[in-house]
């Protein structure tokens, strides 16, 4: 099992460019998440998908869109990248969609994105 | 909204010694979960330990244990017999309804030989 995979691992964009970060999991999990990690701020939730066919905003959704393509895949799109979106992006999945908050989340290796 | 505070940006410990990382949180909920995740230099996030708020007994996982004080909203992580492989960033996280995680800012732990 590969677990959670993310592509690309690194990306440099110019301001205004668009790109899509891909995430896939092979654990048959129902729930998937996108976080960004910035120095001194921990990880912050951008969007999540509790189950296939549903997506919801997290703490910092502005400037991003997501697509839950199927049960395995959850993509994150930056339509017009800004320097403030320079960050490390993590995708995660959990068994879900249990609502109690106790599921372990399994994380991908992250994508380091730089916006110039 | 829940908040999680880790007041120690960096800590160091000698190999084989014990270290405690602090975490406090704020919530109005009664039932919830708390987690400690580890992020080594490889950047891969790994679950260390999980605590259910309605369980009074502190969770333990081998050399890792927690001191959960619900009334004080405190959730510290104790690492016994520290090993070089424990060098990492440690994040305390609150599990919200809907399985969303709210993370603290993290504590960098360096284990010295």
């Amino acid at each position: 099992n590969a677990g959670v995979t993310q592509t690309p691992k690194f990306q440099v964009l110019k301001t205004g460019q668009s790109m899509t970060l891909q995430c896939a999991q092979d654990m048959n999990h129902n729930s998937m998440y996108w976080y960004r990690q910035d120095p001194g701020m921990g990880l912050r939730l951008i969007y999540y998908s509790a189950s296939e066919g549903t997506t919801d905003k997290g703490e910092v959704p502005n400037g991003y869109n997501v697509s839950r393509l199927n049960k395995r895949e959850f993509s994150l799109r930056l339509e017009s990248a800004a320097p403030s979106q320079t960050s490390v992006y993590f995708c995660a999945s959990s068994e879900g969609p249990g609502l109690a908050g106790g599921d372990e989340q399994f994380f991908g290796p992250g994508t380091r994105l730089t916006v110039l | 909204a829940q908040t999680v505070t880790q007041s120690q940006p960096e800590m160091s410990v000698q190999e084989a010694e014990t270290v405690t990382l602090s975490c406090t949180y704020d919530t109005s909920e009664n039932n919830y979960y708390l987690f400690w995740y580890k992020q080594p230099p490889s950047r891969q996030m790994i679950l260390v330990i999980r605590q259910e708020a309605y369980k009074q007994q502190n969770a333990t996982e081998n050399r890792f244990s927690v001191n959960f004080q619900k009334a004080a909203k405190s959730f510290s992580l104790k690492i016994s017999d520290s090993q070089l492989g424990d060098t990492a960033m440690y994040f305390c996280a609150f599990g919200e309804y809907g399985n969303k995680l709210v993370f603290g800012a993290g504590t960098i732990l360096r284990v010295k030989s």
Side-chain angles (χ1 to χ4, degrees), chain A residues 44-56:
Chain A
R44 292 179 293 168
L45 183 65
I46 304 171
Y47 271 93
Y48 67 104
S49 172
S51 60
E52 187 180 356
T54 69
T55 60
D56 283 290

Side-chain angles (χ1 to χ4, degrees), chain A residues 18-60:
Chain A
S18 62
M19 79 160 295
T20 299
L21 280 64
Q22 306 287 353
C23 174
Q25 50 89 11
D26 62 0
M27 295 174 282
N28 201 36
H29 284 169
N30 291 293
S31 301
M32 297 185 74
Y33 313 82
W34 276 106
Y35 294 91
R36 60 177 289 173
Q37 181 178 12
D38 301 294
M41 302 188 75
L43 280 76
R44 292 179 293 168
L45 183 65
I46 304 171
Y47 271 93
Y48 67 104
S49 172
S51 60
E52 187 180 356
T54 69
T55 60
D56 283 290
K57 295 178 180 179
E59 181 185 353
V60 289

Side-chain angles (χ1 to χ4, degrees), chain B residues 17-89:
Chain B
E17 293 188 347
T18 296
V19 64
T20 299
L21 308 184
S22 301
C23 173
T24 58
Y25 59 93
D26 188 27
T27 184
S28 58
E29 297 180 16
N30 193 43
N31 293 324
Y32 48 88
Y33 289 78
L34 294 162
F35 304 82
W36 280 97
Y37 278 86
K38 169 185 177 181
Q39 186 180 43
S42 67
R43 215 167 62 189
Q44 182 68 52
M45 294 281 286
I46 304 162
L47 177 66
V48 175
I49 202 164
R50 170 175 41 194
Q51 174 78 41
E52 300 170 81
Y54 65 87
K55 286 189 175 179
Q56 294 198 345
Q57 187 173 6
N58 289 325
T60 62
E61 287 286 343
N62 301 315
R63 297 183 295 107
F64 299 87
S65 61
V66 298
N67 183 5
F68 174 49
Q69 302 288 331
K70 191 173 183 180
K73 297 180 182 175
S74 169
F75 183 60
S76 60
L77 175 69
K78 186 171 84 170
I79 306 174
S80 304
D81 187 24
S82 296
Q83 301 175 0
L84 295 176
D86 295 334
T87 291
M89 174 85 87

